Amino acid sequence: MNILFVCSAKAWGGNEKWTAMAMKALSKHHRLFFVGKSSKLLTKFDPQEKAVTLPFRSYFDWYTFNALKRFIAQNQIDVVVSTKKKEYFMCGIIARQLGIKHIIRLGVSRKMNIPIWHKLNYRTLNDGLIVNAGYLKEELNKNPLFNQHPIHAIYNGIPGFYSDSPLPEKQQHAKFIIVSSGRITRQKGYGLLIEAINLLDDELKQQVEVRIIGEGRNKEEFEQQSTSLQLDNKIRFYGFVDTPTLLMKDADMFILLSEREGISNSILEAMTLGIPVLSTDTGGIKEVIKDNQTGFLTERSPVAIAQKLTELIRNQQPIRAVGENAFDLIKAKFAYDVFEQNINELFCRL
């Protein structure tokens, strides 16, 4: 089967990681093609038979629409997988015109408050949705818009991590190392993390080292916030890193404070290293984090986050066991070989 993945992202993040992972998992049995927006990201979506970039200026970009339609027809694509909302409409129209399958990947919950437009995008113009969490499938099924519409819940896998992977050994170090990674936006809660670090007492501040990994539209804003609070010697922004696990493996805690989230790839990656995670209770987080068992949950406020961090830094022994519990959960549900089997079974059914 010829499968085209379309991803109009300008920066690398969880959605893009999922796209690359899905392509790799399907490449053993199918021919893969890719259309994106950023030439800088193009080589990350391997393996593929052919890849091109298009402008994706808007939902109704006529040039991109025609070029994409030609690409699909010329390469005899059987299934189009669109991964961002800018492509859902365009790919759906083309798929209906050419009589091929169109699947959309939905990574987070979205408000369906424009009935005609959302019905068109999320039901009429596709043959099903792939979501990464059971909660999201349940939430969508409650909406009459999705009555009897195929919704497939497939947990993300972690490339290089398998169901028989051993628990990494932890290195000893003087600091309490906190890591956070992902797209650097306000929605991800980096501003809250910086405020919480600032609220720690002076003794704890001396113990803490914070590593923030990733790029995004609000990165400069958070760098300025850190500087204004005189936290430059505590918080470091690393930007995009090819292998973020190298900066994560010796961490004592991973923190992600998203306003909304499916199941974060960054959280899963931290858990594969046995790193305990502190997160807000949003979206599908509870499918991987049971408070004080496989991770820790906090309210989304600087004061609550600072209080939780104070508690954990001063009593570190329990968090190690929590990290090990999380590692066992990830092996059972999110190993790459488990994901590979599940997504191949889905596309065979198509």
Side-chain angles (χ1 to χ4, degrees):
M1 190 158 58
N2 292 345
I3 303 172
L4 169 65
F5 279 80
V6 182
C7 180
S8 59
K10 293 184 287 186
W12 188 256
N15 180 70
E16 292 65 52
K17 288 180 182 178
W18 180 90
T19 302
M21 178 176 56
M23 290 178 66
K24 181 181 177 182
L26 291 164
S27 64
K28 291 181 180 179
H29 306 290
H30 306 281
R31 297 177 71 217
L32 277 296
F33 298 79
F34 180 78
V35 173
K37 179 182 176 73
S38 169
S39 57
K40 293 180 180 178
L41 299 181
L42 205 60
T43 57
K44 293 183 175 295
F45 298 98
D46 283 327
Q48 17 78 354
E49 298 281 332
K50 187 176 180 181
V52 299
T53 57
L54 293 172
F56 289 99
R57 298 185 186 94
S58 70
Y59 291 94
F60 310 105
D61 181 352
W62 188 244
Y63 171 81
T64 298
F65 178 89
N66 284 318
L68 181 58
K69 185 175 180 180
R70 283 196 303 271
F71 183 92
I72 291 171
Q74 289 169 359
N75 292 286
Q76 299 180 318
I77 301 299
D78 300 297
V79 181
V80 177
V81 182
S82 56
T83 62
K84 297 185 76 66
K85 61 182 181 180
K86 187 178 284 187
E87 307 125 27
Y88 293 165
F89 176 75
M90 192 179 296
C91 290
I93 292 292
I94 294 171
R96 291 296 178 258
Q97 288 179 347
L98 298 179
I100 63 174
K101 297 283 187 181
H102 175 219
I103 303 295
I104 70 173
R105 192 263 175 172
L106 185 63
V108 296
S109 178
R110 298 196 185 279
K111 294 179 180 179
M112 303 293 175
N113 54 1
I114 310 175
I116 295 175
W117 174 248
H118 286 136
K119 183 177 181 180
L120 192 65
N121 270 306
Y122 292 97
R123 177 169 183 139
T124 306
L125 294 179
N126 70 74
D127 299 283
L129 288 71
I130 297 176
V131 297
N132 65 356
Y135 96 94
L136 189 48
K137 179 176 180 177
E138 292 176 6
E139 184 176 289
L140 293 172
N141 279 328
K142 291 176 184 176
N143 190 325
L145 187 154
F146 293 101
N147 185 34
Q148 303 300 315
H149 195 59
I151 301 174
H152 313 281
I154 298 179
Y155 286 130
N156 291 356
I158 301 99
F161 180 75
Y162 299 90
S163 51
D164 59 354
S165 294
L167 178 67
E169 293 185 9
K170 299 296 290 183
Q171 298 177 351
Q172 297 296 319
H173 44 77
K175 295 285 188 179
F176 187 89
I177 299 174
I178 296 169
V179 175
S180 188
S181 71
R183 188 164 293 171
I184 311 300
T185 63
R186 293 173 188 166
Q187 187 268 114
K188 295 288 187 180
Y190 292 101
L192 296 175
L193 174 57
I194 294 168
E195 288 287 348
I197 297 299
N198 188 54
L199 291 174
L200 297 176
D201 64 35
D202 290 338
E203 177 191 354
L204 291 184
K205 279 184 187 176
Q206 294 303 314
Q207 299 179 41
V208 167
E209 175 187 333
V210 181
R211 301 170 183 172
I212 297 178
I213 306 167
E215 292 288 348
R217 62 179 176 270
N218 301 122
K219 180 169 175 276
E220 185 177 340
E221 172 188 331
F222 297 132
E223 288 175 328
Q224 291 173 353
Q225 179 187 3
S226 179
T227 299
S228 69
L229 295 173
Q230 299 181 330
L231 295 173
D232 286 347
N233 61 336
K234 304 295 178 192
I235 301 173
R236 181 175 173 185
F237 292 81
Y238 285 83
F240 174 78
V241 177
D242 281 321
T243 52
T245 52
L246 294 177
L247 289 170
M248 293 169 58
K249 63 183 181 181
D250 60 341
D252 297 286
M253 178 71 60
F254 182 92
I255 298 181
L256 190 65
L257 305 166
S258 296
E259 180 180 0
R260 60 185 185 276
E261 195 73 61
I263 296 181
S264 163
N265 285 331
S266 297
I267 284 179
L268 297 181
E269 288 172 355
M271 289 180 166
T272 66
L273 300 170
I275 302 171
V277 173
L278 173 64
S279 173
T280 42
D281 180 9
T282 181
I285 294 300
K286 276 191 175 175
E287 292 184 45
V288 290
I289 295 181
K290 305 297 181 187
D291 197 23
N292 296 307
Q293 296 178 40
T294 58
F296 303 96
L297 297 174
T298 179
E299 295 177 16
R300 202 170 185 268
S301 78
V303 172
I305 297 159
Q307 289 175 344
K308 192 69 175 179
L309 274 176
T310 299
E311 172 191 328
L312 294 171
I313 295 171
R314 287 181 171 163
N315 184 22
Q316 297 181 28
Q317 191 59 39
I319 72 175
R320 293 171 189 155
V322 166
E324 292 176 8
N325 292 341
F327 179 81
D328 291 338
L329 172 71
I330 295 302
K331 281 208 303 183
K333 291 188 175 182
F334 297 89
Y336 178 77
D337 48 329
V338 175
F339 169 81
E340 184 178 47
Q341 179 180 340
N342 290 339
I343 198 164
N344 272 285
E345 287 178 356
L346 169 59
F347 276 80
C348 284
R349 292 199 300 271
L350 290 177

